[in-house]
């Protein structure tokens, strides 16, 4: 890192007014967030991929899956250090001056190491956790065929051991004049 850049912990939130230090809030957000973006270092460049995920509070880990071939798998095999972010966009906030326009949001940034789960029983359990998160109204053996061993063996299942995290939000009261959701203009 260049000498003139201050050494600030990665998980530190610069704008303290928006920082969330309540771990219960961070955990709750990770349980309900729809997806994560994963940043992986790649020969001096940043590589980012978006994935469905599940947060396991007991293991203090995040799990996701992907192909056993390709850039993500290869990079994680050699560079397990990752940064993840989960974001939820709220309303767009117009203002009298362009410089004051804004957007509501909630987000969590996570730092950790990603490892492939080699044990097929553990991988199957994580894959079922993902199915349960995204399709809670469907049951294996009733609404769909359960995971087959050969399918599990063809899938890369990854665990990110969480080392640190930070939460952040900017949400205004319900009565924000002119506020609207993206794609739903007033």
């Amino acid at each position: 890192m260049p000498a003139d850049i201050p050494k600030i912990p990665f998980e530190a939130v610069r704008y303290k007014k928006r920082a969330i230090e309540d771990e219960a809030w961070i955990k709750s957000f990770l349980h309900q967030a729809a997806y994560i973006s994963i940043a992986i270092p790649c020969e001096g460049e940043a590589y980012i991929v978006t994935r469905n995920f599940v947060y396991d509070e007991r293991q203090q880990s995040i799990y996701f899956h992907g192909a056993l071939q390709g850039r993500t798998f290869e990079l994680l095999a050699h560079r397990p250090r990752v940064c993840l972010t989960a974001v939820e966009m709220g309303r767009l906030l117009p203002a009298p001056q362009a410089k004051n326009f804004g957007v509501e949001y909630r987000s969590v940034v996570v730092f950790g190491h990603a490892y492939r789960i080699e044990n097929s029983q553990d991988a199957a359990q994580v894959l079922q956790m993902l199915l349960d998160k995204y399709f809670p109204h469907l049951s294996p053996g009733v609404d769909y065929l359960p995971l087959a061993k050969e399918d599990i063996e063809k899938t890369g299942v990854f665990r990110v051991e969480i080392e640190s995290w930070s939460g952040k939000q900017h949400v205004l009261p319900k009565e924000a004049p002119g506020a609207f959701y993206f794609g739903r203009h007033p």
Side-chain angles (χ1 to χ4, degrees):
M1 192 179 279
D4 59 338
I5 296 177
K7 292 186 179 177
I8 301 168
F10 280 115
E11 69 277 5
V13 176
R14 182 185 58 84
Y15 195 40
K16 299 292 184 201
K17 183 174 157 183
R18 296 194 178 151
I20 302 291
E21 296 180 8
D22 177 8
E23 286 202 0
W25 184 95
I26 293 172
K27 291 175 181 180
S28 175
F29 184 81
L30 288 175
H31 280 299
Q32 62 83 34
Y35 61 88
I36 53 172
S37 294
I38 308 161
I40 309 165
C42 175
E43 299 175 14
E45 299 293 330
Y47 173 70
I48 298 176
V49 62
T50 300
R51 294 277 192 261
N52 293 335
F53 79 104
V54 64
Y55 168 59
D56 185 341
E57 197 170 324
R58 289 174 292 133
Q59 295 295 322
Q60 191 59 4
S61 295
I62 288 176
Y63 297 96
F64 63 92
H65 75 292
L68 284 176
Q69 297 175 353
R71 182 177 292 158
T72 301
F73 178 75
E74 293 299 324
L75 287 173
L76 290 175
H78 298 94
R79 296 171 183 88
R81 183 92 175 121
V82 295
C83 175
L84 318 172
T85 186
V87 179
E88 177 183 274
M89 183 175 163
R91 298 174 297 173
L92 295 169
L93 308 168
Q97 292 183 324
K99 71 176 185 168
N100 295 325
F101 275 47
V103 64
E104 293 177 318
Y105 63 87
R106 299 182 328 140
S107 66
V108 169
V109 175
V110 173
F111 293 92
H113 283 82
Y115 302 97
R116 180 173 173 224
I117 297 174
E118 302 285 344
N119 180 293
S120 61
Q121 286 182 322
D122 292 342
Q125 183 178 3
V126 169
L127 291 170
Q128 189 60 54
M129 289 168 59
L130 284 160
L131 288 166
D132 293 344
K133 175 182 177 179
Y134 291 97
F135 304 95
H137 62 293
L138 301 177
S139 299
V142 175
D143 299 302
Y144 60 90
L145 294 174
L147 293 162
K149 183 177 180 179
E150 51 274 4
D151 293 334
I152 295 166
E153 291 171 354
K154 293 178 186 176
T155 305
V157 180
F158 297 90
R159 174 183 181 194
V160 175
E161 295 177 354
I162 298 172
E163 295 174 359
S164 64
W165 59 19
S166 61
K168 194 172 167 183
Q169 77 173 346
H170 175 55
V171 179
L172 295 183
K174 296 261 185 232
E175 325 260 318
F180 64 96
Y181 289 95
F182 180 75
R184 293 185 252 158
H185 305 282

